[in-house]
Amino acid sequence: MLELLSPAGSMEALHAAVQNGANAVYLGCGAFNARQSAKNFTLQSLEEAIKYCHVRGVKVHLTLNTLVSDKELPQAMDLIRQAAQLGVDAFIVQDLGLVRIIRQMAPTVPIHGSTQMSVHTLDGVKLCAMWGLRRVVLSRELSREEIAAICRQSPIEIEVFAHGALCMCYSGQCYMSGLIGGRSGNRGRCAQPCRQSYGFGRYEEKYPLSLKDNCLVRELKDLEKMGVASIKLEGRMKRAEYVATVTNVYRTALNTGEV
């Protein structure tokens, strides 16, 4: 059955995800995750979160999905070491340098390629497998046919986003926030300028860059038949109530086959 992977931007959201049927949660700790505006976790609360989840049979995936500068490597390495000791079930990574470091420091912890890697071809998936990754989160822009074709020949697990907000640009590759306000999406500080209104004259107050949210709750059977291993729900910036509702809807759909 498909793994249901829910967002946990706070301890309250984590509890909501677990109590509503998530098989796994993904969360950030420290400075190297793509949602710096979420509450996120400290090492102390990360330990508490892992214990809470593991007792209930739920996995914890730690996001290290931003680009890391050379001077930040000691701090990143310390986080990797401590997170591995605490028992995280996977690291979600964008930076290839971190991939190599994790393989050396925590070789038993699976590495998942973040959607920020913009992997959108079978060759990209095979390259990730060669680097030692166990799973790849495909770019959100891929079609049903493209996902199916990749799954048929993929040597590693495939994860897709099934619900939530979509970037106007390929995830993580947009420089608009950095140029306008100095807040880089690749550093976890996107100000979401694509959600703002643009235009002039009679075209004012339009939202030409703001996409509708993704929703694949009616496509779950097809995704499973394709060979997708995990469906991911976006929302680490959302409240616990949102996480509870969306997780429950997808859990019900997975269990019953009905929406």
Side-chain angles (χ1 to χ4, degrees):
M1 180 178 283
L2 286 169
E3 175 189 77
L4 179 58
L5 178 58
S6 294
S10 65
M11 187 65 78
E12 295 79 11
L14 181 140
H15 291 166
V18 173
Q19 291 168 14
N20 282 276
N23 300 117
V25 297
Y26 64 103
L27 51 82
C29 178
F32 307 110
N33 76 90
R35 291 292 182 269
Q36 288 295 307
S37 298
K39 287 185 179 180
N40 290 316
F41 291 76
T42 63
L43 281 170
Q44 182 177 354
S45 60
L46 176 62
E47 181 177 13
E48 179 185 345
I50 292 172
K51 290 179 179 178
Y52 179 88
C53 289
H54 284 181
V55 165
R56 293 160 177 82
V58 176
K59 294 183 178 181
V60 177
H61 300 175
L62 181 65
T63 57
L64 295 173
N65 54 343
T66 61
L67 300 177
V68 180
S69 68
D70 289 349
K71 66 180 181 181
E72 294 170 335
L73 282 178
Q75 182 182 353
M77 293 169 67
D78 188 53
L79 176 57
I80 292 166
R81 177 182 57 80
Q82 294 189 67
Q85 291 175 345
L86 291 176
V88 294
D89 298 286
F91 291 109
I92 304 174
V93 181
Q94 174 189 12
D95 195 311
L96 296 182
L98 280 188
V99 170
R100 183 174 182 180
I101 289 172
I102 292 170
R103 290 188 64 189
Q104 293 174 344
M105 295 185 62
T108 62
V109 181
I111 304 173
H112 298 172
S114 170
T115 187
Q116 272 81 10
M117 279 189 175
S118 293
V119 178
H120 57 279
T121 65
L122 179 60
D123 286 340
V125 172
K126 289 180 176 179
L127 192 59
C128 288
M130 186 179 72
W131 289 329
L133 276 65
R134 304 268 192 93
R135 178 187 292 183
V136 171
V137 187
L138 293 180
S139 294
R140 306 183 198 189
E141 296 77 15
L142 294 182
S143 67
R144 177 197 303 264
E145 293 75 20
E146 290 168 325
I147 294 172
I150 290 173
C151 286
R152 279 195 297 269
Q153 301 182 63
S154 174
I156 55 178
E157 292 182 345
I158 295 297
E159 178 178 309
V160 299
F161 271 93
H163 191 92
L166 290 170
C167 294
M168 181 65 182
C169 186
Y170 277 94
S171 300
Q173 308 308 313
C174 177
Y175 296 101
M176 190 173 180
S177 179
L179 288 172
I180 292 176
R183 296 175 56 181
S184 170
N186 275 311
R187 298 285 291 169
R189 296 191 294 268
C190 179
Q192 297 185 324
C194 56
R195 304 293 181 238
Q196 304 303 314
S197 61
Y198 297 93
F200 61 93
R202 63 191 180 96
Y203 295 105
E204 287 184 1
E205 302 303 320
K206 303 294 183 181
Y207 296 82
L209 303 180
S210 185
L211 300 181
K212 292 181 179 180
D213 279 11
N214 184 29
C215 180
L216 299 182
V217 70
R218 299 183 187 277
E219 317 298 333
L220 299 181
K221 288 183 180 179
D222 287 346
L223 289 170
E224 188 169 10
K225 289 178 182 177
M226 290 177 193
V228 172
S230 177
I231 54 170
K232 191 171 194 172
L233 310 180
E234 185 270 343
R236 281 198 292 135
M237 300 284 289
K238 303 289 179 62
R239 294 170 56 183
E241 292 84 351
Y242 172 91
V243 174
T245 301
V246 175
T247 301
N248 182 269
V249 168
Y250 275 80
R251 171 48 57 203
T252 301
L254 286 170
N255 288 351
T256 66
E258 300 178 358
V259 180

